[in-house]
Amino acid sequence: MADQVANLDEIRALLAHLPGPDLAAGAAASARQAQLTKPIGSLGRLEELAVWLATWQARHPPRLEHPRTLVFAANHGVAARGVSAYPAAVTAQMVQNFVAGGAAVNQLCRVFDAGLKVYEMNLDRPTGDIVVEPAMSEEECARAIAYGMMAVEPGIDALALGEMGIGNTTAAAALCAGLFGGAAELWTGPGTGVAGAALEVKRAAVAEAVMRHRRAAGDPFDMLRRLGGLELAAIAGAVMAARLGRVPVVLDGFASTAAAAVLLAANPRALDHCVVAHLSAEPGHRRLVEQIGQRPLFDLGMRLGEASGAILAFGVLRAAVACHNGMATFAEAGVSGPS
């Protein structure tokens, strides 16, 4: 279906017809949880996650044998304003580091056996500088969303989504302010480590960009086109395709959550098949997860991006599945159940 998407109106139409939860699978998972040899609720969110996986995989028991990690990389025109501690050339250099196996994402994927695919998105052509022009044309945005949709292949049990793009916390902050309101300083943090005068430059860029585009944007997808980036659009597309393919999604930090939030702003049920892996140290992320009604699974002070936190969450999900599927029931173990 994704290769047939030609414009944002077709994306909007798809979003309006997303499949809902598989209530039968969810009910089967909940019924089994009640029979396992433990007090009900004693495994906390592990129990919730097992039911969530079954509900959105549309099967019981749930499985986590084939997780996949997708990292989308793109460049941003606003980076030329000095909003990052690193030059824009680092995006392509880090992609090569991913390919060579030298990045954090590579090590984490090995630990959790989560197949990694990295997608370069026209790194030689950064998006427009959002301070003075839209990041993308409608066609470019729709094409990027479709590209992310096509990256979601059949046979995946769960998906971790991440990004690489110098300047993308600036775009993410502007996108959040555009979608949900609030002053630029509430959304704009250090990103790669900017501070002092450089952080003020970044906040000013976000404020000017939002002022230019917020009133002109027709809807959340138009806001994404104006204030986002190619990799953020691709993440939004991957979230949509995962929903259509019954694949639960684990979102990483600030940038990937901001990309997914575009869908929720357009459809309040669009992220029901997603969990946020961790609370990023980027300050806007706490505000964002509260805005979209999510509870991150953990808080380790991470702010790297490249799906690093989302991959760690696969360990939590595997634990949830192992307990749900492997524990004995009261009847099987000959243990007296609750009275």
Side-chain angles (χ1 to χ4, degrees), residues 86-113:
Y86 294 85
V90 168
T91 303
Q93 292 165 1
M94 279 303 300
V95 167
Q96 292 308 306
N97 195 26
F98 298 152
V99 172
V105 64
N106 302 101
Q107 320 321 313
L108 294 169
C109 281
R110 290 190 191 104
V111 169
F112 293 102
D113 192 24

Side-chain angles (χ1 to χ4, degrees), residues 188-211:
T188 312
T192 51
V194 297
L199 180 56
E200 291 307 313
V201 167
K202 183 177 181 180
R203 287 173 173 165
V206 170
E208 290 179 45
V210 173
M211 186 179 299

Side-chain angles (χ1 to χ4, degrees), residues 54-89:
T55 298
W56 291 104
Q57 289 180 345
R59 65 187 176 208
H60 186 261
R63 295 197 299 264
L64 200 64
E65 298 166 2
H66 301 291
R68 174 68 56 80
T69 302
L70 304 182
V71 177
F72 298 96
N75 275 318
H76 295 257
V78 74
R81 293 181 176 269
V83 296
S84 172
Y86 294 85

Side-chain angles (χ1 to χ4, degrees), residues 235-261:
I235 288 172
V239 171
M240 288 182 61
R243 178 67 162 265
L244 294 169
R246 296 290 190 182
V247 179
V249 171
V250 186
L251 299 169
D252 192 38
F254 184 43
S256 62
T257 309

Side-chain angles (χ1 to χ4, degrees), residues 89-147:
V90 168
T91 303
Q93 292 165 1
M94 279 303 300
V95 167
Q96 292 308 306
N97 195 26
F98 298 152
V99 172
V105 64
N106 302 101
Q107 320 321 313
L108 294 169
C109 281
R110 290 190 191 104
V111 169
F112 293 102
D113 192 24
L116 171 64
K117 290 202 171 183
V118 180
Y119 295 89
E120 300 179 45
M121 303 190 69
N122 208 0
L123 297 185
D124 293 334
R125 290 190 60 192
T127 54
D129 178 356
I130 59 175
V131 174
V132 297
E133 62 183 331
M136 299 166 279
S137 68
E138 177 166 328
E139 181 182 359
E140 288 169 334
C141 187
R143 190 184 305 126
I145 292 172
Y147 186 77

